[in-house]
Amino acid sequence: MFESTPTAAPDAIFGLSEAFRADPRADKINLGIGVYRDELGHTPVLAAVKEAEARLLAKQTSKSYLAIEGTEAYGRAVQALLLGDSSEVITGDRVLTAHTPGGTGALRVAGDLLRAQSPETTIWLPEPTWVNHHQVFGAVGLAIGNYPYFDHQSNRIDFEAMLTAVEAMPPGDVVLTHGCCHNPTGADLTPDQWRLLAATLKERRLLPLVDIAYQGFASGLEADVEGLRALCHEGPETVICSSFSKNFALYNERVGALTIVTSTTDAVAAVTSQVKQCIRSTYSNPPAHGGAIVTTILEDDELRREWQEELARMKQRVQAMRRLFVAGLDDRQVSMSSEGNDFLVHQHGMFSFSGLKERHVAQLRDQHAIYVVGSGRVNFAAMTADNMPRICDAIAAVI
Ligand code: LMR
């Protein structure tokens, strides 16, 4: 079976981390994988998470299986966070949530479900998008299309081109958008653009699929889901794949959710049954611990407040690093675009396309032990006041 198995290419993001770990240079810096680090360069367990874990450990009496779709309490907590307590789709019983292993698990189950429901469907991805979107939807056998999203010259969204492409898509297709903190560009739609997109998707009978992995890292927990809520409000159907890896720093607990808004209350039971079939044949049922942590925090006023404060501090630190990076480049008279570096301050979340080309990325790795994704995407959440001078000096040297 395996004698002549060819070697697969390393993953663009995790493969970079493997190369980073193997690098013996003491002063190496990893600006690749999207993991938050504090000012000391650590990825700590949040205090609210530690407290929730202590409570869980004290009261845990069994490690028996969860239901295929996870617990009701987790589903309710996810829906309230994404859609708002008083959302009309919640009060109207038009929504279901399944607890999945991470946001990637949600994408995979969504892909399996879409392929089973409508094998001819094309899923349209923004150009560019998170590299794993191509792998996940390719693996389930869905046809993949790309729509224009980002203009590399101006470092802004090309909304006109995006809308024109959406208007030309065949009815029944699926359009993936990033809820906030677009990965890899950091360029998000404005509330007006979301509303226009929502109306266009509805008119063209296209199904929105929102991937949201950074709620709380752009403007705030509520503001970051305005676009997603506009899509759900416009309707009739929306698919949401969400992750708690970043905003609860629960990376290795693999905790995410697939939420589907249906057009009628009656459809919920049937869609749930199909989702359960997809899950059962993939990972059977979800791992309990991460979901229990999230539920404990979201159901407890004190823990929730503590978590929100910790999340706000993470967001503020990443924004501060964006400003420090731009100041560092400006000081060295390095310009990452024809209009300077300010675009990096206005973008959202952990990532931006820095403007570094593949040859710069290779030089940064080989000559300076600084690891950047091949596309030039940098992770501001891995920058600190301490490593910033070295990062900016190295970029100045290779540009
Ligand atoms: C990233 O884009 O770096 C993160 O979302 C981690 C991952 O799974 O790729």
Side-chain angles (χ1 to χ4, degrees):
M1 179 70 78
F2 302 118
E3 264 167 22
S4 48
T5 300
T7 304
D11 182 76
I13 295 170
F14 273 78
L16 197 68
S17 292
E18 284 163 25
F20 178 79
R21 274 196 293 276
D23 189 329
R25 289 174 287 184
D27 59 351
K28 59 189 176 177
I29 300 172
N30 188 358
L31 302 182
I33 194 157
V35 171
Y36 174 85
R37 293 179 195 283
D38 63 17
E39 47 287 346
L40 299 174
H42 301 144
T43 304
V45 181
L46 300 186
V49 167
K50 274 279 185 211
E51 173 57 27
E53 285 186 305
R55 291 187 195 177
L56 285 168
L57 209 63
K59 71 170 191 204
Q60 192 173 68
T61 54
S62 172
K63 287 199 185 283
S64 184
Y65 292 124
L66 295 188
I68 293 175
E69 71 278 32
T71 68
E72 267 181 47
Y74 177 76
R76 273 197 307 273
V78 168
Q79 289 171 11
L81 199 63
L82 293 172
L83 306 170
D85 286 323
S86 55
S87 161
E88 66 215 312
V89 299
I90 298 178
T91 54
D93 283 331
R94 290 198 292 116
V95 59
L96 59 110
T97 293
H99 172 181
T100 58
T104 307
L107 291 162
R108 178 65 189 235
V109 175
D112 281 336
L113 178 74
L114 293 168
R115 171 102 167 106
Q117 292 297 295
S118 181
E120 301 309 317
T121 287
T122 293
I123 184 159
W124 294 87
L125 307 177
E127 166 43 40
T129 193
W130 184 47
V131 282
N132 207 25
H133 283 151
H134 290 275
Q135 303 197 117
V136 170
F137 296 115
V140 304
L142 275 175
I144 297 175
N146 301 297
Y147 65 83
Y149 182 77
F150 190 69
D151 174 26
H152 293 261
Q153 289 308 311
S154 63
N155 285 299
R156 289 196 191 92
I157 293 172
D158 189 346
F159 187 65
E160 228 180 273
M162 172 180 174
L163 214 56
T164 306
V166 170
E167 278 163 356
M169 291 172 192
D173 279 0
V174 182
V175 182
L176 184 146
T177 56
H178 297 227
C180 65
C181 304
H182 180 269
N183 178 1
T185 67
D188 290 338
L189 298 177
T190 64
D192 281 346
Q193 289 173 335
W194 275 112
R195 277 189 286 275
L196 198 50
L197 177 67
T200 310
L201 291 173
K202 183 178 186 180
E203 193 195 310
R204 296 290 310 160
R205 301 178 61 78
L206 295 161
L207 174 66
L209 186 157
V210 183
D211 182 1
I212 179 152
Y214 297 87
Q215 186 180 358
F217 273 93
S219 305
L221 275 176
E222 289 290 301
D224 291 358
V225 282
E226 243 186 69
L228 179 158
R229 290 179 187 177
L231 295 178
C232 295
H233 178 75
E234 191 73 51
E237 297 175 333
T238 311
V239 177
I240 306 164
C241 299
S242 58
S243 165
F244 292 125
S245 292
K246 327 283 171 164
N247 53 11
F248 280 78
L250 282 171
Y251 304 91
N252 68 18
E253 294 296 350
R254 310 307 301 133
V255 50
L258 169 63
T259 297
I260 301 180
V261 176
T262 57
S263 57
T264 65
T265 304
D266 286 348
V268 169
V271 177
T272 303
S273 72
Q274 296 293 341
V275 168
K276 283 164 69 177
Q277 274 214 344
C278 293
I279 291 174
R280 180 70 174 134
S281 61
T282 314
Y283 55 85
S284 189
N285 51 75
H289 189 60
I293 295 169
V294 170
T295 311
T296 304
I297 294 173
L298 292 179
E299 282 182 345
D300 183 280
D301 288 348
E302 185 200 330
L303 285 183
R304 190 187 171 109
R305 202 172 318 111
E306 188 173 13
W307 163 64
Q308 286 186 202
E309 284 166 13
E310 292 186 280
L311 174 57
R313 281 200 295 277
M314 289 196 281
K315 176 193 78 175
Q316 282 154 11
R317 205 194 82 74
V318 177
Q319 288 170 342
M321 288 306 104
R322 284 181 174 273
R323 292 192 292 273
L324 201 62
F325 182 64
V326 166
L329 295 177
D330 288 349
D331 282 352
R332 291 161 181 78
Q333 292 173 353
V334 172
S335 203
M336 305 308 284
S337 85
S338 54
E339 290 171 33
N341 299 313
D342 278 357
F343 72 96
L344 295 167
V345 175
H346 304 304
Q347 292 172 344
H348 295 150
M350 293 190 184
F351 311 118
S352 281
F353 261 167
S354 57
L356 290 164
K357 307 279 178 271
E358 250 183 88
R359 65 177 187 284
H360 303 135
V361 170
Q363 282 175 293
L364 283 174
R365 190 186 56 233
D366 297 344
Q367 296 165 13
H368 301 274
I370 296 177
Y371 285 70
V372 172
V373 180
S375 61
R377 184 193 84 168
V378 292
N379 176 15
F380 295 96
M383 297 181 184
T384 66
D386 280 348
N387 69 21
M388 194 66 83
R390 218 168 76 66
I391 293 169
C392 293
D393 282 344
I395 291 177
V398 302
I399 286 262

